[in-house]
Amino acid sequence: MYTLVQAATQLRQQIDQFTPLSDDEWARLVPHLTIVTLQKQQTFARQGITADRIGLVLDGALRQFYTKDGDERTTYFFFEHQLTGAYMSCVTGRPSPVTIEALTPTTCVSFPYAVFHDLLETYPGWQRFGRLLAEYLMVALEERMASLLLLSPEERYLSLLEGPYKDLLQRVPQHYIASYLGITPVSMSRIRNRIRPR
Amino acid sequence: MYTLVQAATQLRQQIDQFTPLSDDEWARLVPHLTIVTLQKQQTFARQGITADRIGLVLDGALRQFYTKDGDERTTYFFFEHQLTGAYMSCVTGRPSPVTIEALTPTTCVSFPYAVFHDLLETYPGWQRFGRLLAEYLMVALEERMASLLLLSPEERYLSLLEGPYKDLLQRVPQHYIASYLGITPVSMSRIRNRIRPR
DNA sequence: TGCATTCCTTATCTTTTGTTATCGTTTTGG
DNA sequence: CCAAAACGATAACAAAAGATAAGGAATGCA
């Protein structure tokens, strides 16, 4: 469905949105790219295992979750054109606290973090990309943290409806969204009922 | 109390813990260092204003908070040897959503973010530091986010007691900690009573 | 020292969320 | 095509947190 060349082009486009790489810098990564195909419920990264690769979603949807006392708490979703991977585990070298699992059949283009890390330490363009990526993830996490700390469950649901992720509701089962909002499916159902008067 | 030389030494030590800078790279920052002295309740960064500088706490304590509907929600504390500043605002160039305020009389060594940013873009050592710093902040935010999403208020309080920040309880008023945990002071008082049986 | 303020606890009451269970509906897999 | 599983809504009850108020201890300031 995707040739490696097409996938590589997609990936470079995403990276170039952070910072343009020289052709030479880019060429250092290309030999390490592979296409990863995941069936539903197959994992890109797994809790307890140190993550060793990064990917870009070409098609499909992934879900990231922690497991606590047997049940799962969703922390993120990844869709087309999004970089994915247990980046925190890659960066720290510690076992991943999260699992990343396919919600639907999903295709990614992927590369080993070790290669990426070598590129960061060797090429200025890659180093700059590494900084901008970390800054980008940092900002996203800060916003997520703030929403959990500042907003009530109902406010979080509403801000999801109004924000750039509103199509989430159409794309993923509601109980995953409830878990993403830090509440139970029952509670979210009540909220939906509450804010839909009449 | 602190000479600029002493302050600069402290700062370099902290930075070197991320990545060692060459003497030349370091020398580019030194002329821009200033000592900032804050009385209690004076601010290092203010909500609504785009932050323009970073600092290192030499002595004292700072508190970072959002304001929502008139009341404050604490998101972080900064003590001696910690880098501080509304980093997200600096990075994005957007007005800061947070205020950083002195809990006690506080001394920092500080430098403009603009200078720092130029150094990042110019010197490999600084660029690497910028990446490592962003990664470090990212990891801290992920842990904080996870604790808010996964743990109950009581579990958050307990994990604070057991974690590396346990001296927080001795150093800052409890209602700030309650706000840091995302609960009201009354609720935290109840939790304290609950977990102290007998 | 005295007075006001801040801080923490406790009590009461209300609101919200969690828990558990039930019931249609939809989706999935054999 | 049918049985099983997954999904979402809803109800009833329990548990927890928010809101408000009051009281006492500690703190700061004059």
Side-chain angles (χ1 to χ4, degrees):
Chain A
M1 180 145 175
Y2 273 90
T3 68
L4 204 46
V5 173
Q6 288 173 324
T9 304
Q10 288 248 9
L11 178 59
R12 187 169 184 182
Q13 274 178 19
Q14 292 306 314
I15 291 176
D16 279 353
Q17 288 193 9
F18 287 92
T19 181
L21 295 173
S22 72
D23 288 343
D24 177 61
E25 286 172 329
W26 171 246
R28 305 290 168 173
L29 181 65
V30 173
H32 301 96
L33 295 180
T34 53
I35 303 280
V36 174
T37 309
L38 297 174
Q39 294 311 307
K40 187 173 175 175
Q41 292 189 342
Q42 285 189 311
T43 58
F44 187 85
R46 201 182 299 248
Q47 182 188 27
I49 297 174
T50 301
D52 60 359
R53 59 182 183 175
I54 305 297
L56 175 79
V57 180
L58 297 171
D59 189 61
L62 299 171
R63 170 179 151 256
Q64 180 183 83
F65 59 90
Y66 285 73
T67 304
K68 190 207 172 190
D69 305 334
D71 63 64
E72 303 170 351
R73 302 295 184 89
T74 301
T75 48
Y76 259 102
F77 299 98
F78 301 98
F79 300 108
E80 296 81 10
H81 312 305
Q82 279 192 273
L83 287 168
T84 185
Y87 201 61
M88 189 172 129
S89 172
C90 289
V91 165
T92 62
R94 296 197 301 248
S96 174
V98 302
T99 297
I100 299 177
E101 185 184 275
L103 283 168
T104 61
T106 299
T107 310
C108 298
V109 54
S110 165
F111 50 89
Y113 177 74
V115 169
F116 178 64
H117 189 260
D118 282 348
L119 293 174
L120 294 188
E121 297 294 12
T122 311
Y123 299 93
W126 280 111
Q127 182 74 275
R128 181 164 200 266
F129 172 71
R131 173 174 67 84
L132 294 171
L133 177 62
E135 286 176 357
Y136 173 83
L137 295 172
M138 183 187 76
V139 169
L141 278 167
E142 167 108 20
E143 279 167 4
R144 182 118 166 76
M145 194 265 289
S147 111
L148 288 169
L149 191 65
L150 268 64
L151 273 42
S152 69
E154 181 166 331
E155 289 170 322
R156 290 203 290 276
Y157 180 77
L158 287 170
S159 84
L160 184 68
L161 283 189
E162 292 156 9
Y165 280 95
K166 49 176 163 290
D167 52 330
L168 222 65
L169 283 154
Q170 276 70 50
R171 291 199 61 175
V172 313
Q174 284 183 25
H175 67 279
Y176 291 145
I177 294 175
S179 142
Y180 176 79
L181 296 174
I183 56 180
T184 61
V186 176
S187 186
M188 180 163 141
S189 183
R190 275 191 292 236
I191 289 171
R192 285 164 63 81
N193 186 33
R194 203 185 301 156
I195 66 174
R196 170 176 32 96
R198 210 187 51 76
Chain B
M1 180 145 176
Y2 274 89
T3 67
L4 204 47
V5 173
Q6 289 172 324
T9 304
Q10 288 248 12
L11 178 59
R12 187 167 184 184
Q13 273 177 20
Q14 292 305 315
I15 291 177
D16 280 353
Q17 287 193 12
F18 286 93
T19 181
L21 295 173
S22 71
D23 288 344
D24 177 62
E25 285 172 331
W26 171 246
R28 306 290 168 174
L29 181 65
V30 173
H32 302 95
L33 296 180
T34 53
I35 302 280
V36 174
T37 307
L38 298 172
Q39 294 310 305
K40 187 172 173 174
Q41 292 190 341
Q42 285 189 311
T43 59
F44 187 86
R46 202 182 299 246
Q47 181 188 27
I49 297 175
T50 301
D52 61 358
R53 59 183 181 171
I54 305 298
L56 175 79
V57 180
L58 298 170
D59 189 61
L62 299 171
R63 173 180 148 255
Q64 179 182 84
F65 58 89
Y66 285 72
T67 304
K68 191 208 171 189
D69 304 334
D71 63 63
E72 304 170 349
R73 301 294 183 91
T74 301
T75 48
Y76 258 98
F77 300 98
F78 301 99
F79 300 108
E80 297 81 7
H81 312 305
Q82 280 192 271
L83 289 168
T84 186
Y87 202 60
M88 189 172 128
S89 172
C90 289
V91 165
T92 61
R94 298 197 299 249
S96 174
V98 302
T99 298
I100 299 178
E101 184 184 275
L103 283 168
T104 61
T106 299
T107 310
C108 298
V109 55
S110 166
F111 50 90
Y113 177 75
V115 169
F116 178 64
H117 189 259
D118 282 347
L119 293 174
L120 294 188
E121 297 293 13
T122 312
Y123 299 94
W126 280 111
Q127 183 73 273
R128 180 163 201 266
F129 173 71
R131 172 174 66 86
L132 293 170
L133 177 62
E135 287 176 355
Y136 173 83
L137 296 172
M138 184 186 76
V139 169
L141 278 167
E142 166 108 20
E143 279 166 4
R144 181 119 166 76
M145 194 265 289
S147 112
L148 289 169
L149 190 65
L150 270 62
L151 273 43
S152 68
E154 181 166 330
E155 290 170 320
R156 291 203 288 278
Y157 180 77
L158 288 170
S159 84
L160 184 67
L161 283 189
E162 293 155 10
Y165 279 96
K166 48 175 164 286
D167 54 330
L168 222 65
L169 283 154
Q170 276 71 50
R171 292 199 62 175
V172 314
Q174 286 184 24
H175 66 279
Y176 291 146
I177 294 176
S179 139
Y180 175 79
L181 296 175
I183 56 180
T184 61
V186 176
S187 185
M188 178 162 140
S189 184
R190 275 191 291 237
I191 288 171
R192 286 164 62 81
N193 185 33
R194 203 185 301 155
I195 66 173
R196 170 174 33 96
R198 211 186 49 73

